[in-house]
Amino acid sequence: MPITDGRYFCLSLPRRWIGDLLYFAKQIPSVPVERVMQLRDLQEVRRTTEISWPTLFIKAFAVAGIHHPELRYALLRYPWMRGYEHPTSVASLAIERKYRGETAVFFGQFQKPEAHTLESIEKYVRYYKTAPVESIGFNRRIIRISRLPLLLRRFLWWISLEWSGKKRAKRLGTFGLSVYSSLGASSPHPLSPLAYLLNYGVVDDQGQVTVRIIYDHRIVDGAVIARALATMESVLTGVLLDELLRYKEHKGGYLHDDNDVATGFFPRESLVS
């Protein structure tokens, strides 16, 4: 049978920014460490509330970062090789959205989630999932950068990642969260340009779930990550379970934080609907 010709097509903007981020991610000697967590009590309570698993894991990682400051480290290579410790955690949540008829991955950022309620975090998880894509400041920036020529795009990402620890955290976060557990799948070693990427699998009927942190081995060792995962489990089954019970008791609306913008939890421009 004759071989029919395929077709060529230009890479879309979403494929460009994923390609750019992976270009820098593959330069990191990342290693995964995982822990099987027992979260049955938390799972049973969570089912009766509107709080999602990503919200719980974002706050658990950030709280663990208080006890393990290494979770707020980053390695900067220019103008000289040095480490950087950010004073607080900044989460970057990968979120699938539709953009110009195509499925695309965007990122929702959360400043200092350890200091905010689960309700506040959940509110903005939903905001990032439902607000018009280009109404969110970070989305507008990533789209604008991806329209530029390749070398200029890579230069701008390089500046953000390698020169200033403060700007790196502000623009990209101190850790990422990327999961597909709602689709019944997980990835054993996803890549990220950040020093830490949090990932977890499907939570089974008994509340058991495998949680992993993929980390930059240049700035921290695996034993630190193993201890941090144990701390995360204690946080999830302790203070966050207690907070979720209070949330359930008050049927939502408890301790609502009306100062999210004033306290710097979220970028001001992301609140424009």
Side-chain angles (χ1 to χ4, degrees):
M1 296 179 62
I3 299 176
T4 58
D5 292 337
R7 68 183 182 93
Y8 296 98
F9 58 90
C10 294
L11 292 180
S12 64
L13 294 181
R15 300 319 329 148
R16 286 186 181 187
W17 69 66
I18 292 298
D20 291 340
L21 293 175
L22 287 175
Y23 172 80
F24 292 98
K26 71 180 183 180
Q27 299 175 30
I28 296 176
S30 61
V31 179
V33 173
E34 65 182 35
R35 178 184 178 91
V36 178
M37 297 187 182
Q38 307 296 332
L39 306 177
R40 183 171 185 175
D41 291 343
L42 185 67
Q43 180 186 43
E44 291 178 356
V45 177
R46 192 201 68 82
R47 284 172 172 168
T48 64
T49 73
E50 59 186 15
I51 302 300
S52 63
W53 282 116
T55 291
L56 289 162
F57 278 104
I58 285 172
K59 186 165 184 179
F61 188 99
V63 172
I66 298 173
H67 304 282
H68 305 277
E70 297 92 343
L71 296 183
R72 293 179 271 112
Y73 284 5
L75 184 73
L76 305 176
R77 296 188 296 171
Y78 298 95
W80 65 89
M81 187 80 75
R82 66 209 186 278
Y84 171 76
E85 178 185 342
H86 200 62
T88 61
S89 291
V90 182
S92 181
L93 174 64
I95 298 174
E96 187 179 65
R97 299 292 307 273
K98 283 289 186 180
Y99 178 68
R100 295 188 175 183
E102 178 183 359
T103 299
V105 176
F106 290 90
F107 303 91
Q109 290 186 301
F110 305 82
Q111 305 285 336
K112 201 177 180 180
E114 63 269 27
H116 294 269
T117 65
L118 291 172
E119 181 188 16
S120 291
I121 300 171
E122 181 65 30
K123 177 174 66 174
Y124 283 96
V125 168
R126 296 185 179 207
Y127 170 80
Y128 285 128
K129 288 182 176 180
T130 59
V133 166
E134 295 192 54
S135 72
I136 299 171
F138 183 79
N139 292 352
R140 291 197 301 271
R141 288 193 294 274
I142 199 172
I143 290 168
R144 187 166 59 247
I145 290 173
S146 297
R147 290 194 174 108
L148 299 173
L150 175 65
L151 292 180
L152 184 53
R153 296 199 318 265
R154 297 282 168 87
F155 175 75
L156 291 175
W157 285 118
W158 177 70
I159 288 290
S160 295
L161 285 164
E162 300 288 4
W163 279 78
S164 168
K166 180 179 179 180
K167 290 182 179 179
R168 173 190 171 110
K170 179 181 178 181
R171 294 171 180 172
L172 295 169
T174 59
F175 75 95
L177 173 60
S178 178
V179 292
Y180 338 107
S181 57
S182 63
L183 301 174
S186 65
S187 176
H189 193 162
L191 300 178
S192 171
L194 300 179
Y196 300 98
L197 181 64
L198 179 63
N199 175 272
Y200 58 88
V202 178
V203 184
D204 68 20
D205 293 337
Q206 302 302 313
Q208 181 172 287
V209 58
T210 299
V211 182
R212 63 186 60 86
I213 295 174
I214 295 88
Y215 67 97
D216 185 343
H217 207 338
R218 296 172 297 179
I219 56 170
V220 70
D221 292 323
V224 174
I225 303 302
R227 287 190 284 269
L229 283 165
T231 300
M232 281 186 63
E233 184 171 9
S234 296
V235 169
L236 286 163
T237 58
V239 294
L240 293 192
L241 176 58
D242 291 342
E243 183 179 350
L244 204 57
L245 286 168
R246 295 198 303 274
Y247 178 85
K248 176 183 177 181
E249 180 182 352
H250 290 84
K251 301 184 186 301
Y254 81 110
L255 297 177
H256 182 70
D257 191 343
D258 292 322
N259 297 308
D260 286 339
V261 175
T263 57
F265 190 18
F266 305 101
R268 287 180 180 271
E269 64 266 32
S270 72
L271 298 179
V272 179
S273 60

